[in-house]
Amino acid sequence: MATKPVVVYGASGYTGRLICEYLREYNVPFVAAGRDAAKLKQSMQENVAGIETADYEIAEVTHDVKALTELFSGASVVCNTVGPFSVYGPEVAEACLAAGTHYLDTTGEQDWMITCDEKYGPDFAAAGLLLAPGIAQMYTTGEIAAELCLEKPGLDTLDIAVFWGGSPTIASTLTILVNAATSGAYRLEQNRYEAWDPEAGLYQLVLPGQHELALALPWGGTSHPVWYRKDPRVANVKVLGGVFNRALMNGVPQIVANAVEATKDMPPDERYAALTATAAQVMNQMPPRENPRLNKSVDSVHASGPLGRAHCVIYGNSNYKQTGLMQAYAAYHLLQQPPRRVGFASGCQAFGHRELLGVLESFGLVREPTVTVER
């Protein structure tokens, strides 16, 4: 049973330890939880800045509903970073429901998002609990930009681009391959999911702030089409994203295609093992701590309607730090007052887009958005 109000599950990973770092800055006591106590202890001591001043404890736990429920009991919020979430998320969500805790995670896997919305969302709402998957830079910062555009009424179409500098982590590399091999990627057209063409390859985008065309992918479709599917303001959403490193982007489609082809006839367990092995060959070490001079982010949203247009750009840095900060702030908020919405909800729906923007600005991770509205 947790003796701290927040549990960070998967705390030894790259994103998990950043959440711990920002929980320390918010003076929030937490449990750093995972499957290996020794690894957790080492990660906290070596990778979390200022950990000697944090109020925390370490908990080793097996990944099953019973053990997780026992651990989460007594806590108020769980920040889950253990992916792929479509594989490992159900046990955590079910344990949160059983223990009566709010659930946050960093996913962008559409199949998991849809499962949260349709399968778990009603039960969380009935229990007065928040189920907020996808609170992360790659999704929430772009959502903030979209919401700033939607402050102008009459815009029903969102064209979103999300870019960042740096490399995927070990866990996100595996998630990309598993997601590509086992599920489709969707955009929203007239409030219905429409599949992206898996054979289309790379897209070229005009990205604010540079002359060179950027290379992009649907990146699993991302969270935004799921969040906006039941929003009466919005009918159409498409999202493309990528990294600024063109060589890396050029290699991604081939790596994914080869992995999908090589594993397509395997049973699920064998397929997952093979994808795990492939992911380890692509990325087998943690990226270095982010450098704001190198790890930049750009979130650009064009919003349109029958007669209106708006464009918002948010320039930032250190996308994983943005994720860690927003997760920590969400937990901090939930310890003091209820969210704006219970059940399935996005970060902006639960906490407010201007509030989250202010948090990112106050820590120097994004600059003031550039918003252009055609009147």
Side-chain angles (χ1 to χ4, degrees):
M1 182 174 182
T3 60
K4 311 294 184 186
V6 176
V7 177
V8 182
Y9 184 47
S12 62
Y14 193 93
T15 304
R17 59 205 199 195
L18 284 170
I19 296 172
C20 294
E21 183 175 323
Y22 283 110
L23 286 171
R24 182 200 72 86
E25 296 202 18
Y26 276 110
N27 295 313
V28 173
F30 63 90
V31 177
R35 292 176 295 178
D36 188 330
K39 185 177 180 180
L40 286 161
K41 182 177 180 181
Q42 181 181 9
S43 183
M44 292 299 106
Q45 292 177 345
E46 295 182 1
N47 301 113
V48 179
I51 192 63
E52 67 279 359
T53 63
D55 181 2
Y56 78 103
E57 63 184 37
I58 288 172
E60 184 175 279
V61 63
T62 56
H63 189 81
D64 62 73
V65 175
K66 181 180 179 181
L68 291 169
T69 299
E70 183 177 347
L71 172 63
F72 298 164
S73 297
S76 297
V77 186
V78 172
C79 300
N80 181 24
T81 69
V82 178
F85 294 89
S86 59
V87 177
Y88 296 112
E91 293 88 346
V92 186
E94 290 167 21
C96 283
L97 265 175
T101 62
H102 299 293
Y103 175 96
L104 312 173
D105 77 27
T106 58
T107 191
E109 300 163 50
Q110 277 191 340
D111 54 344
W112 173 239
M113 295 285 296
I114 292 170
T115 296
C116 287
D117 181 18
E118 298 178 355
K119 181 177 180 179
Y120 297 116
D123 290 336
F124 271 80
L129 297 171
L130 174 65
L131 174 66
I135 297 181
Q137 180 274 327
M138 192 174 174
Y139 319 107
T140 307
T141 309
E143 185 194 10
I144 293 169
E147 288 295 323
L148 291 172
C149 289
L150 291 171
E151 288 180 356
K152 174 180 171 59
L155 307 180
D156 65 2
T157 298
L158 299 174
D159 181 352
I160 303 174
V162 179
F163 273 76
W164 65 99
S167 301
T169 63
I170 297 171
S172 59
T173 301
L174 174 59
T175 297
I176 291 166
L177 290 180
V178 170
N179 196 242
T182 60
S183 63
Y186 301 98
R187 59 189 181 273
L188 198 65
E189 292 187 8
Q190 294 302 311
N191 302 108
R192 295 183 179 181
Y193 294 128
E194 295 290 339
W196 288 92
D197 179 1
E199 308 296 329
L202 291 163
Y203 295 78
Q204 295 191 85
L205 297 186
V206 176
L207 195 64
Q210 65 180 52
H211 292 289
E212 184 178 39
L213 291 175
L215 300 179
L217 289 165
W219 223 263
T222 81
S223 305
H224 308 85
V226 186
W227 285 334
Y228 284 108
R229 187 173 68 90
K230 299 176 184 177
D231 190 321
R233 300 171 299 172
V234 178
N236 311 292
V237 180
K238 68 175 182 180
V239 188
L240 291 166
V243 296
F244 295 112
N245 184 328
R246 291 180 67 87
L248 179 58
M249 285 302 299
N250 275 313
V252 169
Q254 191 61 49
I255 292 170
V256 171
N258 290 342
V260 171
E261 179 63 26
T263 62
K264 66 180 182 180
D265 296 324
M266 293 181 180
D269 289 347
E270 290 183 21
R271 192 180 206 191
Y272 183 75
L275 292 169
T276 300
T278 301
Q281 294 173 2
V282 176
M283 176 63 68
N284 61 4
Q285 61 184 2
M286 288 289 189
R289 188 174 176 83
E290 289 170 307
N291 180 340
R293 295 177 62 246
L294 302 175
N295 300 109
K296 302 172 184 177
S297 67
V298 176
D299 292 86
S300 174
V301 178
H302 286 283
S304 60
L307 297 174
R309 297 289 186 276
H311 182 212
C312 179
V313 184
I314 300 179
Y315 295 103
N317 66 75
S318 307
N319 55 292
Y320 283 103
K321 287 185 180 180
Q322 290 182 46
T323 298
L325 172 59
M326 287 190 287
Q327 284 277 322
Y329 172 76
Y332 172 72
H333 181 288
L334 289 168
L335 296 181
Q336 298 179 80
Q337 60 181 258
R340 297 184 176 191
R341 182 185 300 183
V342 294
F344 177 78
S346 70
C348 291
Q349 290 164 351
F351 306 108
H353 62 284
R354 287 197 171 271
E355 286 73 11
L356 290 174
L357 173 63
V359 170
L360 292 171
E361 289 179 326
S362 70
F363 279 79
L365 295 177
V366 303
R367 59 165 291 170
E368 181 179 356
T370 302
V371 182
T372 305
V373 178
E374 297 181 20
R375 300 186 184 279

